[in-house]
Amino acid sequence: MTNLTDLTVAQIRDGFRAGDFTAREVAEGFNANVAAAKALNAFIVETPDHALAAADAADKARGEGALLPLSGVPIGMKDLFCTAGVQTTAASHMLEGFTPTYESTVSGKLWAAGAGMLGKLNLDQFAMGSSNETSFFGSVISPWKRNDGGNAALAPGGSSGGSASAISARLCPAATGTDTGGSIRQPAAFVGISGIKPTYGRCSRWGVVAFASSLDQAGPMARTIRDNAILLESMAGFDPKDSTSLDLPVPNWETALSSDLRGKKVGIPKEYRVDGMPAEIEALWEKGIALLKDAGAEVVEVSLPHTRYALPTYYIIAPAEASSNLARYDGVRYGLRDLPDGANLQDMYAATRAAGFGPEVKRRIMIGTYVLSAGFYDAYYTQAQKVRTLIARDFGRAFESCDLLLTPTAPSAAFALGEKQADPLAMYLNDVFTVPASLAGLPAMSVPGGLDSQGLPLGLQIIGKALDEQGVLNAGLAIEERAGFSARPDQWW
Amino acid sequence: MAIDLQTVKKIASLARISVTDGEAEALVPELNNIIGWVEQLGEVDVTGVEPMTAVIPNTLRLRDDVVTDGNVRDKVLANAPQAEHGFFAVPKVIE
């Protein structure tokens, strides 16, 4: 008998519709996998009853011929999305115990489409991190191991590390992620799955715990391109409650999937050949170029001259927005309150925020506060916003001579937990290839390209023009079909 | 400009995060490293360049000036660390 937890979203959806199995069987299978995988620490809260209730509703709907797009499909929800009645923490002590009385737009759309929730997935605290080590609830462990005989626990990437780890380990067929500077793409690359950050404004930010509002964008993560297209169709769409939501129809991305890239031009940005790029990443990139050529695409070199300034720009803008967004955690309206004896209101604020935020969150709030403070605002923040304009302009010029861009997703395979923790800057550099598309609001995805010599997955990134998720997904499909990536981690958990 | 201990304490105070002397001292080199690194942006010629305001052109929408929600006081207060008589409660602020 087929192992239901090995199926993709499309296979679950279609098999369930065909009557090959019930939705309840699927939900029970994934609930069991979730319960047996505590060692990965991928979930902060497990919600087996939510998954079962959605499954029972799906089984009933099938009997009545009233199926929804995601009927029968259980998913994982990153714990950055507010879920009514289910604790939402952003992996922070600050929000430990916070139980929203409302549902985020994106999660609400997924439930309305028939999906069930297996649980709330662990992440870097307030989505700030690239390794999942900043979670208050402990690091997520990647299901992958190096093939060197060692037993080093590897980072699943971040910030959507719980999502990545859970999908790779078959604890859920798909999950939501959010991406501010690479938080969907880098973890997807680290664990050998796919994930897409759509164009800024495609998915509503309403009810998503805010990190850097001009960059934050939700997107799906799953094992196949088709599954990403299916999920994104249910997540995207105009929302009057988000002032930056795009008032555009949601395309039928799944129906229009095509790996025929004849007539498409793929640009290779020469500035992404950074100094000290490992030979294996270089080789992966060459392989990606060959695969896209094989699919009919023409490959051209392009220039994005301000690429090297993207990371420092990001590390001014994102902390600045974070320092403003996180001002809401004051110990008054929700979340933690630390009220020392005899403390006044100001003391309470400072004590609450000292106790509720982890070191990386404090570091970013303080950087943001500094770059926004009187006397420094123009030199740092305004300058960064100007350079951001130049970075976006670079992409606009490059897209005059090509339709898509191909780059590696990350400068290395997954690193071991603890390896980069001592130096915040070294951790920031992991986002070197993903941050530019975030700053320009462009759709971008990571798709598995192969394994490195240590047996670890490597990802290729495709960046598209604004609103051209279809082009990104199609190129992803062309790579997926040709790379034939079928590796999966051996179960040790 | 290098960030010294006094600056760290000032930033922490502006950010309403209490720090011990030890924490503040540890933050001095960390913040200097990061700020020193982002300062490379100063070398970019931005003459005539407008700061980014929206990555995807979008206009702020207007809606009718009518009440669209409300009457959810208990929901609003449901997660408050301390709610009294239908209000958020805080330490005394007027001496």
Side-chain angles (χ1 to χ4, degrees), chain A residues 309 337 346 363 380 389, chain B residues 16 30 39 43 50 79 89:
Chain A
Y309 298 111
R337 167 180 289 191
Q346 296 293 338
R363 195 178 291 129
Y380 292 110
T389 297
Chain B
R16 300 292 186 273
E30 277 184 14
E39 274 176 354
E43 72 196 39
E50 287 294 315
N79 279 287

Side-chain angles (χ1 to χ4, degrees), chain A residues 211-237:
Chain A
F211 164 14
S213 302
S214 79
L215 297 156
D216 294 345
Q217 187 53 206
M221 301 169 75
R223 298 209 310 280
T224 69
I225 301 297
R226 177 170 299 274
D227 287 1
N228 274 290
I230 293 169
L231 264 284
L232 187 56
E233 281 183 29
S234 288
M235 294 168 68

Side-chain angles (χ1 to χ4, degrees), chain A residues 44-45 79-83 86-100 102 120 123-127 136-137 207-211 325-337 352-353 355-358 361, chain B residues 79-81:
Chain A
I44 294 174
V45 173
D79 198 24
L80 204 62
F81 293 85
C82 286
T83 43
V86 179
Q87 176 185 257
T88 300
T89 67
S92 70
H93 182 41
M94 185 65 88
L95 285 176
E96 193 176 11
F98 173 65
T99 306
Y102 53 89
K120 300 295 294 286
L123 64 150
D124 276 302
Q125 191 171 142
F126 286 104
F136 176 73
F137 301 98
V208 184
V209 178
F211 164 14
N325 270 327
L326 274 63
R328 72 190 64 181
Y329 302 105
D330 54 9
V332 175
R333 291 160 297 167
Y334 39 73
L336 185 75
R337 167 180 289 191
T352 296
R353 292 162 64 79
F357 293 137
V361 176
Chain B
N79 279 287

Side-chain angles (χ1 to χ4, degrees), chain A residues 115-187:
Chain A
M117 176 165 65
L118 293 158
K120 300 295 294 286
L121 291 156
N122 204 346
L123 64 150
D124 276 302
Q125 191 171 142
F126 286 104
M128 298 179 190
S130 307
S131 67
N132 235 282
E133 290 165 290
T134 71
S135 168
F136 176 73
F137 301 98
S139 304
V140 175
I141 316 287
S142 170
W144 291 83
K145 297 278 187 195
R146 289 177 180 144
N147 61 9
D148 58 5
N151 200 30
L154 300 179
S159 66
S160 309
S163 308
S165 187
I167 295 166
S168 175
R170 273 65 175 173
L171 312 186
C172 52
T176 57
T178 61
D179 192 313
T180 303
S183 284
I184 286 174
R185 293 161 283 162
Q186 182 253 22

Side-chain angles (χ1 to χ4, degrees), chain A residues 258-281:
Chain A
S258 163
S259 57
D260 181 355
L261 301 186
R262 282 176 296 177
K264 292 284 181 190
K265 281 189 182 175
V266 177
I268 307 301
K270 62 180 182 187
E271 289 81 4
Y272 279 55
R273 289 191 195 284
V274 293
D275 290 343
M277 181 188 274
E280 288 192 296
I281 300 293

Side-chain angles (χ1 to χ4, degrees), chain A residues 333-383:
Chain A
R333 291 160 297 167
Y334 39 73
L336 185 75
R337 167 180 289 191
D338 188 2
L339 183 60
D341 277 346
N344 63 25
L345 187 63
Q346 296 293 338
D347 299 334
M348 184 191 84
Y349 292 151
T352 296
R353 292 162 64 79
F357 293 137
E360 180 61 24
V361 176
K362 288 180 189 169
R363 195 178 291 129
R364 294 201 196 189
I365 290 175
M366 290 184 64
I367 292 166
T369 304
Y370 180 72
V371 300
L372 291 176
S373 61
F376 298 107
Y377 184 95
D378 279 339
Y380 292 110
Y381 186 71
T382 307
Q383 178 76 5

